[in-house]
Amino acid sequence: MAETEDASLSPSTGTISITLSVNGEAKPLRLDPRVSLLDALRDHLHLTGTKKGCDQGQCGACTVLVNGRRINACLSLAVMHEGDEISTIEGLGSPDALHPMQQAFIDHDGFQCGYCTPGQILSSLAVIEEIKAGLPSHVTADLNAPPPLSDTEIRERMSGNLCRCAAYPNIIAAIQDVAGSAQ
Ligand code: FES
Ligand code: FES
């Protein structure tokens, strides 16, 4: 084999072998290199908790965590994530042992149809970590002080996650509940 050839690439099919780490499990895959992370999760790994709303980075339904940071899985290629730790809603809790954020969404009625909810929940977790880490947002007034856990801050930071059922006030209440009890 020539030195420049990639053993993981199959010239006859144009596919590539990769292993993704999803919710702590190694997932070997053979994919067209143009497959998005969202399609790899949903269509190849059958983890359909991550939703496809717009498929163009506008709705946030496809939000997952990559190494703890939130991304839109529809805007990222699966092959870019070998070696990353990917977290989806399936890895968060179980029906018998819900994650506190999942429980808070139930307690505060933070959803109606539920289509945006996995993305909202994963984004919520990242928002709390971003505020704790002192990362400013567009509405942070004092860049020299830790950002407040205000509704305004949370609303701005969650603005990439749309909800057609308009459960926004209840989503904010759920996040405030978890953020408050986490302090
Ligand atoms: Fe990715 Fe809408 S499906 S942002
Ligand atoms: Fe229906 Fe958000 S709960 S889109």
Side-chain angles (χ1 to χ4, degrees):
M1 184 180 291
E3 249 179 60
T4 50
E5 281 181 35
D6 183 343
S8 64
L9 185 65
S10 164
S12 57
T13 61
T15 56
I16 192 165
S17 291
I18 60 167
T19 300
L20 295 181
S21 177
V22 183
N23 301 325
E25 286 180 32
K27 304 280 188 185
L29 287 167
R30 177 161 280 282
L31 296 172
D32 185 306
R34 296 166 293 183
V35 168
S36 70
L37 178 59
L38 176 60
D39 287 345
L41 291 170
R42 288 181 56 83
D43 299 341
H44 295 263
L45 296 175
H46 309 297
L47 293 170
T48 54
T50 306
K51 301 303 184 200
K52 182 182 283 190
C54 63
D55 210 20
Q56 54 182 354
Q58 293 187 341
C59 72
C62 64
T63 304
V64 297
L65 303 183
V66 173
N67 301 327
R69 300 189 67 175
R70 54 190 171 148
I71 68 162
N72 288 336
C74 69
L75 292 185
S76 197
L77 297 174
V79 291
M80 294 164 60
H81 294 290
E82 208 163 23
D84 288 340
E85 184 49 52
I86 300 158
S87 303
T88 71
I89 194 73
E90 288 90 348
L92 219 53
S94 66
D96 295 332
L98 293 175
H99 184 281
M101 190 63 83
Q102 292 171 316
Q103 187 62 55
F105 268 64
I106 293 172
D107 293 345
H108 292 275
D109 223 2
F111 56 90
Q112 288 183 39
C113 77
Y115 198 79
C116 71
T117 311
Q120 301 278 4
I121 288 177
L122 287 162
S123 214
S124 302
L125 295 174
V127 161
I128 292 175
E129 291 308 312
E130 287 162 19
I131 292 177
K132 273 202 233 162
L135 296 176
S137 79
H138 183 63
V139 298
T140 306
D142 183 355
L143 298 182
N144 294 314
L149 257 168
S150 63
D151 286 1
T152 305
E153 277 285 350
I154 293 174
R155 214 174 275 126
E156 163 63 20
R157 290 167 191 266
M158 292 295 292
S159 60
N161 289 84
L162 305 184
C163 175
R164 274 188 275 190
C165 302
Y168 297 115
N170 299 359
I171 292 170
I172 302 291
I175 299 171
Q176 284 287 20
D177 189 354
V178 174
S181 63
Q183 284 185 335

